Amino acid sequence: MELDFHDFSIPFGGRSYLFEVEFRLPPQEEYGQLLFHPPGTYGGDVQENRGWRLTVFDDHHHELPIQCQDWNYGSVVTEHVEGLTRVQHSCLHATATDEEYETMSKARFLRVTLIGNYRQLWVDLINVYFRAIVDIVVEDGNLTSRISAAPPPPPPQQSPKPSPPGPLDPPASPPTAVYTFYSLQAPSDWQTRVLTAEPCGLSADECATHAGVAGADGFVVSSSGCCYPISGPVGGLVAYEWGVAGVGVF
């Protein structure tokens, strides 16, 4: 999931930084725990399938040199408990440097990646919070804070030498075969007619391309995007999984 807030007017005249990301989870444990690990039928709560990763980009969609700390350090909780509906993830650690605050003030896109395989996410809302960059000063013998001034711009750099021409573009991918897709349905006996198991995480169009190469009559996509080209007529459809799952017929 990627959040785009590059048109957001950063508060305090731009002198603020990406402070925290808040996930609002549904109250049902079945859905709320998906932020932390997949359901038991897809591996359950194992170390390699736990948590999430936050990747921050600038307004040109380049990764910032400073990134949010790992979920198991920045999050207020590291596992789901009954009644949990809010999870806050602080981007910078408590001893962050001035450079890190300045870098995080350039955040304009945020990508949330679930770690591991067979991961799904169900959230009611995601909030992104910015906090002012401040200096602590002494005035009349008292400590007070004020918005930090922007650092001076770096000195101009000489233009680099032009790079040699890059390699030619790879040949275009074959066109996707024309198909009809029946969402959340599949033939009752499709498992007995699988020609080959393709990768997971594919869209219906991507799976159709694989199935066309395999000479299949159709294909089944699971809720995790696992692709199964199948042979024979496609009929006798029954309810099948959730999300992106379904059957395509050529």
Side-chain angles (χ1 to χ4, degrees):
M1 175 188 300
E2 188 161 296
L3 307 180
D4 175 356
F5 44 91
H6 76 279
D7 288 333
F8 172 61
S9 180
I10 305 301
F12 303 105
R15 302 302 297 142
S16 55
Y17 67 99
L18 177 60
F19 165 64
E20 181 180 272
V21 179
E22 179 190 53
F23 300 94
R24 296 279 187 91
L25 306 180
Q28 299 90 342
E29 180 179 5
E30 175 186 2
Y31 305 126
Q33 67 181 355
L34 295 177
L35 178 64
F36 298 91
H37 60 78
T41 54
Y42 290 96
D45 188 5
V46 294
Q47 187 61 39
E48 58 269 25
N49 287 345
R50 294 202 90 230
W52 60 90
R53 182 182 304 109
L54 300 181
T55 308
V56 189
F57 303 85
D58 64 15
D59 55 353
H60 296 294
H61 215 276
H62 298 147
E63 286 193 27
L64 296 183
I66 302 297
Q67 290 292 323
C68 294
Q69 55 187 330
D70 292 342
W71 73 279
N72 51 325
Y73 291 99
S75 174
V76 294
V77 293
T78 56
E79 60 183 46
H80 189 272
V81 294
E82 183 178 358
L84 179 67
T85 58
R86 294 191 180 192
V87 176
Q88 293 89 20
H89 183 148
S90 297
C91 267
L92 295 179
H93 52 86
T95 58
T97 64
D98 291 344
E99 178 187 3
E100 290 172 317
Y101 286 119
E102 293 294 339
T103 300
M104 204 56 69
S105 72
K106 298 176 176 62
R108 297 299 182 271
F109 296 88
L110 176 69
R111 181 179 300 163
V112 182
T113 305
L114 299 180
I115 299 172
N117 299 312
Y118 307 110
R119 298 299 308 277
Q120 307 166 62
L121 180 64
W122 191 311
V123 292
D124 290 339
L125 182 70
I126 296 181
N127 286 321
V128 176
Y129 293 100
F130 281 77
R131 178 172 283 184
I133 301 176
V134 299
D135 292 326
I136 304 299
V137 296
V138 179
E139 293 183 356
D140 299 327
N142 298 316
L143 290 177
T144 185
S145 62
R146 65 187 179 194
I147 304 299
S148 174
Q157 297 180 348
Q158 295 182 346
S159 301
K161 294 181 179 180
S163 302
L168 297 176
D169 293 335
S173 302
T176 302
V178 178
Y179 64 94
T180 302
F181 192 74
Y182 299 91
S183 180
L184 305 183
Q185 299 181 71
S188 58
D189 62 343
W190 69 269
Q191 293 94 336
T192 64
R193 298 192 273 123
V194 173
L195 296 177
T196 178
E198 302 296 339
C200 295
L202 300 182
S203 66
D205 282 350
E206 292 169 333
C207 184
T209 300
H210 284 274
V213 173
D217 298 302
F219 59 91
V220 172
V221 180
S222 74
S223 58
S224 300
C226 298
C227 176
Y228 303 96
I230 60 175
S231 63
V234 177
L237 301 182
V238 296
Y240 177 63
E241 295 197 359
W242 59 88
V244 299
V247 60
V249 183
F250 296 126

